[in-house]
Amino acid sequence: MIRVLLADDEDLIRVAVAALLGLEPDIEVVAHAADGKTAVTAALAHRPDVAVVDLEMPGLDGIAVAAELTRARPECAVVVLTGHGRPGHLREALTAGARGFLRKGAPGGALADVIRRVHAGGRYVDPALAADALTLPPCPLTPRELETLRLAEVGAPVAVIARRVHLSTGTVRNHLSAAVQKLGAADRAEAVRVARDNGWL
């Protein structure tokens, strides 16, 4: 039997997926979690072979859970489920150690097949997301522009960013302005969103 942990903050989805997997003769759901931190704790306690985690959860998201389980329980393969995955998310998940990345809109039997594949040591990436990731344009921002935009993402004022990166406030403003312009964004917040969606941040 392949022992599986399910983590999703939506009870209905978690219960429905558990019921669907319960129909499989070789898969057993051994634990449930409603958030990322509980998912890590449950994985350490129940020792599943595969953890199926939602991308967006309170506390630790699916990518953070994948990173933590890869470090603490590398023998547990992680599959990230997403309702609206973006190519940047795919790259982050794979970098964090996830072995599978699947849309929630996939056909009913797809998840069981992915669980079997990653349990056997393979990988699975949603084909549409893989195609999108392969056709992403290269990042147009310089390393300094990315660095200042990353700090702006957390809401740090220009003066604080300037101190952290050891630049003048005018230079930081110039980097942020260049990032906004290069990304065709209306403001810093939109520039952060565009960079995040494309996996550059």
Side-chain angles (χ1 to χ4, degrees), residues 26-148:
D26 58 340
I27 295 175
E28 177 188 10
V29 176
V30 296
H32 293 253
D35 60 72
K37 192 169 183 181
T38 305
V40 172
T41 303
L44 295 175
H46 295 277
R47 307 186 67 76
D49 301 307
V50 178
V52 178
V53 301
D54 186 25
L55 177 65
E56 296 180 358
M57 292 185 290
L60 300 176
D61 64 10
I63 292 168
V65 171
E68 184 60 28
L69 291 184
T70 298
R71 185 192 62 74
R73 287 214 61 235
E75 66 277 14
C76 177
V78 178
V79 175
V80 176
L81 287 181
T82 179
H84 46 275
R86 297 182 179 95
H89 292 146
L90 169 59
R91 187 176 299 142
E92 288 179 48
L94 295 177
T95 300
R99 299 197 57 84
F101 198 88
L102 182 67
R103 291 182 198 260
K104 286 184 178 177
L111 179 58
D113 291 340
V114 170
I115 288 170
R116 291 184 188 102
R117 183 180 297 191
V118 300
H119 180 252
R123 292 182 179 274
Y124 179 85
V125 173
D126 181 275
L129 281 174
D132 289 346
L134 289 172
T135 57
L136 275 179
C139 180
L141 305 180
T142 67
R144 277 295 198 184
E145 290 163 356
L146 273 174
E147 185 180 21
T148 55

